Amino acid sequence: HPTLPMSDLIVICMPTGTKLDGDTAWESYAYADGTRSVYNGQACTYPAYTVRNIGHNLGLGPSYEADGTSDDGTCMMGGGSTDLTSTDGPLKCFNGAKSWQLGWYRSKQKYVNTDSMLPWSGSIAALEDIDLVDPNQNQYVVIQIKDDIYVMYNRRLGVNMGTQTHLNDIVVVEQNDGENE
């Protein structure tokens, strides 16, 4: 709209019962690589919907487990058993692929090129310990191997207390065309 100020993202909260394609039971939607996310009624108050939809706005695709049918419970772009209707959570982060894509921990990320045939060793720390990570000591939060493999420690603590699967494990994900397994 020409009279609206310039903004990066727009969140639109519609009154309960607003019709979308003739249906009033919809909860939310977002435009991939767009600027808008739209919510119906109470869905506007649920952080899980907001995080996931803004993730889509930022270009993040959905996250699945390796079977391709179930949601990745380690990532906000998956679902797992996340209670999407909680007004105070969930406390869950993005998986390694999404974290790398967002670039939030760029100074604490490591790209490992396996084509070089040079050995690499280092350690991976949980997001909760990011302030203790020292790349000069080969310590990282996210590791990318080649172009589509990402490694992250899914520690169930602090900001990631709500993760539902692969608790306190090193999680390896493969991302293909914006979606990952």
Side-chain angles (χ1 to χ4, degrees), residues 25-119:
W26 65 280
E27 294 169 333
S28 69
Y29 67 91
Y31 293 98
D33 291 320
T35 58
R36 189 177 339 153
S37 57
V38 183
Y39 306 84
N40 187 16
Q42 285 296 110
C44 200
T45 65
Y46 304 146
Y49 281 112
T50 305
V51 170
R52 185 174 299 163
N53 284 330
I54 290 176
H56 288 308
N57 290 152
L58 295 174
L60 303 180
S63 296
Y64 301 101
E65 289 285 348
D67 65 9
T69 60
S70 59
D71 288 336
D72 174 4
T74 70
C75 182
M76 284 301 302
M77 297 309 292
S81 58
T82 299
D83 177 9
L84 295 177
T85 61
S86 171
T87 57
D88 62 353
L91 293 175
K92 182 166 51 171
C93 298
F94 294 101
N95 65 25
K98 305 308 183 197
S99 293
W100 186 280
Q101 186 176 345
L102 290 167
W104 290 344
Y105 322 116
R106 195 166 315 278
S107 67
K108 305 210 177 172
Q109 296 178 169
K110 175 69 176 175
Y111 176 77
V112 177
N113 182 356
T114 57
D115 292 337
S116 70
M117 299 302 290
L118 296 174

